[in-house]
Amino acid sequence: MPFIIGGALLIFFAVLGVLSRLKRCPSDKVLVKYGKIGKNPDGTPRSSKCIHGGTELVWPYIQGYQYLDLTPMSISVDLQSALSRQNIRIDVPSRFTVGISTEAGIMQNAAERLLGLRLVEIQELAKDIIFGQLRLVIATMEIEEINTDRDKFLAAVSSNVEGELKKIGLRLINVNVTDITDESGYIEALGKEAAAKAINEAKKSVAERNREGSIGEANALRDQRIEVSDANQSAVRGENEALAKISQSNAERREIEAESLRRATVAEKIAQAKALEEAYSAERTAEIARAEREKATLEADVIVKAQIEKSQIEIEAEAEAERIRRHARGEADAIFAKMEAEARGIEEILTKQAQGFQHIVGAAGGQANDAVKLMISDKIENLVKTQVEAVKNLKIDKVTVWDSGTGGKDGGTATSNFLASLMKSIPPMNEMFNMAGMKLPEYLGKAKDEETVIEAKVSDIKEQPKKGK
């Protein structure tokens, strides 16, 4: 039994929970359910679901809901200085009434773009769209069309504005355009011209009706008199005289009527001329204002463009100068680093050499001269090798000596003198030691004088044949 009661209570509370999540949508609102809704026919997740009227179940935690108010919004749009197709700026004060649409696709746009916005924010958004589309429509129409054919103007405005409002989920309910004015007075001039034209046409119509009435009356009298004259041919002369006077009176009356008609025609022409003069004056004023505006526009375009180009050149020049300065600083830093590294290397080499020299001097018993001789004796082999290498690779393919066999002042021949000069070109070992400030050791032999050595070599050469290669 307790199990049954617990189950019933559980079912009861479950039903209450489901019923509490049933949300009713009033007729003046749109219920927007969002969260995990489902998928679109193309398989993409749905962002929201809109319901106008009826009841919808909103699951807790995975779904939420909000309402969109369908109350119409009246927006005052005081458009000023809008440029028409004739390049004349006009003021178009108007009032637009808009509201959230209940159409399926447009209502979805409202849920995606207007949900959570306040009424003032929605009005400002719609006002910006209306301003832009109203300027666009005015730019495609002439002032005469806007002023006279209001139905065409309102139809164009409604078509453009409503098409843009649908993109954010709104619909256009009503458009009311009040008085249209312009800065140049063009619309006022058009009104004056139309009024003058209507007045002149009315005057002309009245004059024409009077003239037709007078002519008809005269024709009727003439017919009457003719019939009476035919019937009373036997009337007395007095009656004929009376008829003559009547005819004369009629002629005078006709002259008066003709004069009146002439004056009416002249007045009509004068009025037409004045109307044309006022119209031409208004057109001249409008053309002067347009010329001044175009001149100011062209001057502004040229000056602003020149200033922009000047600023661009200055910025590019400053950027190029900064790049050159940075490049020069980088090169200077690189050169300084390279020279500093080389200086450290040279300093290290000289330091090591100085330490080596110090050890050599210490080995020589503190005698600097002996240390120098020790260093030169260590390098003497390389010095001799360098001297030998100087003539080692010298190739003499053929040496031809023309010698007559006669001796010179020193008793030698041309051949012996040539060979002696060639031998002198290689410094002996003793000379190398002398150049280094040292003496050749005695166990290597004592050095002879240079002349003695040369004479010995020359005497050896004399013993050879007088001619040879």
Side-chain angles (χ1 to χ4, degrees), residues 399-416:
V399 178
T400 303
V401 180
W402 296 92
D403 192 357
S404 62
T406 60
K409 295 179 180 180
D410 53 358
T413 63
T415 302
S416 62

Side-chain angles (χ1 to χ4, degrees), residues 313-334:
I313 292 172
E314 291 177 353
I315 291 171
E316 291 177 354
E318 291 177 359
E320 181 65 18
E322 181 64 21
R323 185 187 66 79
I324 294 172
R325 286 195 294 270
R326 292 187 178 182
H327 183 68
R329 285 199 297 268
E331 290 182 350
D333 293 341

